[in-house]
Amino acid sequence: MAYLERASPTLKETLLKIYRAEKPIEVDQHFHEFGSIEYHIKYSVSDPNIVHVSTSTLLETQGAVTLKEISSYTYEVIKNIGVGVIDIVDPPRLGFQLTLGLNLDNIPRGKEAIKIITRISELQAIILSSQLKEMLRSLNFQDDSRSINNMPIRIVYHPSEPFYVFKQPEKITAVFPMNFKDNSDVVIATSFFQDMGKAPQCSWSPIPPLQLRGEPVQDLTTNSGFVSFDITSRHIEGKRLDKTVWNLLNFYACAKYHIKCSRGYIQRRMRKRMETLVKLLNNTSLEEEAAQNENGRCKYVKEFVKVPKGKLMMKQRCKEMTRRVKISKFRIKINGCARFRFNQRWISLPKFSSKPSDKSYTKLD
Amino acid sequence: MANSLRLYLACIKNTLEAAMCLQNFPCQEVERHNKPEVELKTSPELLLNPVLICRNEAEKCLIETSINSLRISLKVKQADELENILTKKFLRFLSMRAEAFQVLRRKPVQGYDISFLITNYHCEEMQKQKLIDFIIQFMEDIEKEIRDLKESVNTRGRLVATEFLKQFITNDAIYTEKLNVRHHSSRFSASPSPSLSNFVLRRPGELLQIPAITQLQIENFYGLGNVI
């Protein structure tokens, strides 16, 4: 399955890390991308000049799953990425379609190195594109009189995402059966494909085209219809072929990415609207106070009203504390301070009274 | 159409003003309990007649009142599948966050898209008139939001399709030139390639509504730049 970016980000990052490392580091990395592309990178300290990169992709044509052999043209294209840098290792590593030996010493310095490494990371894109390019070229050059016998070719680069290519008079048609798991995705996608289908050289239909009669039922059972692209000979001329092939390979990825972005956008807008509504509701309770405040009354009226209440409580608390201290002073017996007990007036709280007769009697122990 | 919406909302507002006379009323069945009678419906003497206000077959509002609570259920217009999905998603999103709204019910009444439950406590905490205004504003906002969402989703889809199909257009030079003019102008004033005329301008009225699309916005859409 192809992807929006040609270069594999993991492969590029690993190769750059190896290239930029001051000392050789042992690397034996195995990873998959998009469920159908497999990579293996091997770099050993014992052989610091060569990095082995192996790759394979699932390719299913006409119902048979094979590791299709790569054509010589594809090998030439890969070698031309960096002359003297890339060697094709024959036979490839077990379980892989292709193994390359990258000579780090022959990689030019500076920006050119990053360019070459980026091109090497596009390995899978090159392999997949070349296979489809050859198919389109061979279909294009077929005689029209044989078109009746042209069965549709079923291509699977990713499990559960097959598409068909068949020849028609003066054009080649690529048909994509579209399926989505979520109901909301189906609706958004259907609306998207219906809009797309109104463009020239593109069409959408809820039922499969007649040419796909006889194909497996599970492939023709869809919930978002069939999108067809018409490819004329002008699309296959020269440099346009690369673009056309890349777009065909990326159609599924593009559609899914658009659906995902649409859902994200819907979510963001819903969240924003919800915040607005909540603010609006909160204003129903606060606006009354705000309205009163704006009527010219002192906005600290409430504060002033509250303050005396607080002071009162403080006074009461102080009184309580004082009373307790007064009670407790009669019970406190400090050893060694008995002589002070008879004269406990020094711990009694002074009373300022103008009338001498108001002096209260203090009981002495 | 705007006129019928105004009349519909005015009718709902007047009904709510009459219905929102709530008072505290403890539960008659269980002592020391206070339940919204409109939900339980155990005592018919505490319930008032429900009022159903229909704008058309697709849009209606049910107002059920009781002595201490009021329930408002709304059915929102859904013209096509996309509006249906958007309405469902949006109203479910709001219902799941009902605690933020206080007066919103977590689950709508059967047959409706969203429901409010207003009790006497809400009337004590909030101003009655403001609450009614909120409900009305909510209804307007929902409709507007769903309409905007649908338009945005369709516009985005058209943008993406245009970008993708650029590669398949054989008249590349003319198309690129027209698109460059479009990208740099504030509106889609330049006519596109004749082969795409029906595709891009299929609804002439929409031309003025499509905002200025720049390469930056396309990148933003794909999340390659800053989020819009």
Side-chain angles (χ1 to χ4, degrees), chain A residues 3 5-15 31-34 37 39 41 117-125:
Chain A
Y3 27 88
E5 263 189 42
R6 286 178 188 253
S8 161
T10 313
L11 181 60
K12 185 177 172 183
E13 196 186 316
T14 312
L15 288 177
F31 59 94
H32 292 80
E33 274 182 356
F34 303 104
I37 302 171
Y39 290 100
I41 305 172
I117 288 173
T118 309
R119 282 287 289 159
I120 293 168
S121 309
E122 293 171 9
L123 191 59
Q124 267 301 330

Side-chain angles (χ1 to χ4, degrees), chain A residues 4 182-184 187-188 191-192 195-202 229-232 234-235 240 243-244 247-248 250-251 254 257-258 261-263 265-271 273-274 276-278 280-285 287-289, chain B residues 81-82 85-86 89-91 93-94 97 100-103 125-127 130-131 133-134 137-138 141-142 144-145 148-149 152-154 156-158 160-161 164-165 167-170 172 195-196 198-199 202-203 221-224 227-228:
Chain A
L4 294 174
D182 200 22
N183 281 339
S184 54
V187 172
I188 297 171
S191 147
F192 170 55
D195 273 341
M196 203 183 216
K198 290 181 170 106
Q201 292 163 340
C202 177
F229 293 100
D230 294 332
I231 301 158
T232 60
R234 292 195 65 167
H235 289 114
R240 283 205 199 112
K243 243 185 193 176
T244 306
N247 284 323
L248 287 177
N250 270 307
F251 179 67
C254 181
Y257 194 57
H258 164 66
C261 289
S262 295
R263 286 181 70 151
Y265 172 72
I266 291 167
Q267 196 77 7
R268 280 198 301 276
R269 276 204 64 155
M270 288 196 304
R271 224 175 271 278
R273 179 58 67 179
M274 197 199 87
T276 319
L277 288 170
V278 167
L280 199 63
L281 182 67
N282 288 339
N283 287 343
T284 61
S285 52
E287 266 188 6
E288 190 178 16
E289 278 182 17
Chain B
E81 277 291 320
L82 186 59
I85 288 288
L86 291 173
K89 265 184 158 336
F90 187 34
L91 294 179
F93 182 86
L94 294 177
R97 287 150 185 81
F101 284 97
Q102 299 176 58
V103 295
E125 285 166 17
M126 304 176 199
Q127 280 194 42
K130 298 289 178 194
L131 201 49
D133 290 342
F134 167 75
Q137 187 66 38
F138 184 94
D141 283 352
I142 291 291
K144 184 169 170 282
E145 187 64 29
D148 288 346
L149 270 173
S152 301
V153 168
N154 283 337
R156 282 168 170 258
R158 248 173 263 136
V160 170
F164 185 83
L165 289 171
Q167 321 302 330
F168 286 93
I169 302 302
T170 53
D172 276 354
S195 59
L196 276 188
N198 288 335
F199 171 59
R202 56 193 181 90
R203 284 199 279 273
F221 168 70
Y222 275 110
L224 299 174
V227 174
I228 295 171

Side-chain angles (χ1 to χ4, degrees), chain A residues 218-231:
Chain A
Q218 62 266 23
D219 290 340
L220 301 185
T221 310
T222 64
N223 51 21
S224 299
F226 296 81
V227 180
S228 308
F229 293 100
D230 294 332
I231 301 158

Side-chain angles (χ1 to χ4, degrees), chain B residues 11 42 51 54 57 79 100 130 149 165 170 178 204 213:
Chain B
C11 182
T42 49
V51 176
C54 297
E57 284 172 9
K130 298 289 178 194
L149 270 173
L165 289 171
T170 53
K178 298 293 183 190
I213 305 296

Side-chain angles (χ1 to χ4, degrees), chain B:
Chain B
M1 193 171 166
N3 204 22
S4 75
L5 175 67
R6 248 186 300 128
L7 289 172
Y8 175 57
L9 293 175
C11 182
I12 291 173
K13 189 174 180 178
N14 293 336
T15 312
L16 285 175
E17 278 170 0
M20 208 179 283
C21 298
L22 309 175
Q23 64 183 57
N24 188 24
F25 193 87
C27 179
Q28 291 181 324
E29 311 290 325
V30 184
E31 62 180 53
R32 301 182 76 177
H33 276 216
N34 200 320
K35 300 171 186 174
E37 294 297 332
V38 77
E39 293 285 344
L40 295 178
K41 292 188 165 81
T42 49
S43 308
E45 67 275 11
L46 303 175
L47 302 174
L48 278 74
N49 288 330
V51 176
L52 180 65
I53 303 164
C54 297
R55 186 183 175 190
N56 47 47
E57 284 172 9
E59 280 184 85
K60 52 187 178 179
C61 172
L62 176 67
I63 299 172
E64 300 161 282
T65 323
S66 69
I67 189 159
N68 64 354
S69 50
L70 165 71
R71 189 163 68 184
I72 307 157
S73 305
L74 302 171
K75 181 107 181 92
V76 180
K77 176 188 77 173
Q78 291 151 39
D80 53 20
E81 277 291 320
L82 186 59
E83 269 190 26
N84 191 0
I85 288 288
L86 291 173
T87 307
K88 258 190 193 161
K89 265 184 158 336
F90 187 34
L91 294 179
R92 192 165 182 273
F93 182 86
L94 294 177
S95 299
M96 287 296 114
R97 287 150 185 81
E99 67 276 359
F101 284 97
Q102 299 176 58
V103 295
L104 199 61
R105 208 168 176 259
R106 272 199 184 273
K107 208 175 162 189
V109 168
Q110 202 170 7
Y112 292 85
D113 295 320
I114 194 160
S115 296
F116 293 89
L117 177 67
I118 301 171
T119 62
N120 56 294
Y121 296 113
H122 295 136
C123 292
E124 285 165 18
E125 285 166 17
M126 304 176 199
Q127 280 194 42
K128 175 184 158 181
Q129 200 53 47
K130 298 289 178 194
L131 201 49
I132 294 169
D133 290 342
F134 167 75
I135 304 280
I136 302 300
Q137 187 66 38
F138 184 94
M139 290 173 69
E140 285 179 0
D141 283 352
I142 291 291
E143 198 169 321
K144 184 169 170 282
E145 187 64 29
I146 289 167
R147 208 174 44 235
D148 288 346
L149 270 173
K150 183 184 170 186
E151 200 180 308
S152 301
V153 168
N154 283 337
T155 307
R156 282 168 170 258
R158 248 173 263 136
L159 266 178
V160 170
T162 309
E163 280 300 310
F164 185 83
L165 289 171
K166 255 200 295 190
Q167 321 302 330
F168 286 93
I169 302 302
T170 53
N171 223 349
D172 276 354
I174 297 170
Y175 183 81
T176 310
E177 186 193 328
K178 298 293 183 190
L179 271 180
N180 281 339
V181 171
R182 185 181 304 135
H183 283 164
H184 291 298
S185 69
S186 59
R187 287 284 184 263
F188 288 110
S189 51
S191 60
S193 157
S195 59
L196 276 188
S197 59
N198 288 335
F199 171 59
V200 176
L201 299 178
R202 56 193 181 90
R203 284 199 279 273
E206 266 188 18
L207 179 63
L208 297 173
Q209 290 165 18
I210 297 172
I213 305 296
T214 61
Q215 191 61 31
L216 182 62
Q217 282 178 321
I218 293 167
E219 282 171 1
N220 283 343
F221 168 70
Y222 275 110
L224 299 174
N226 297 321
V227 174
I228 295 171

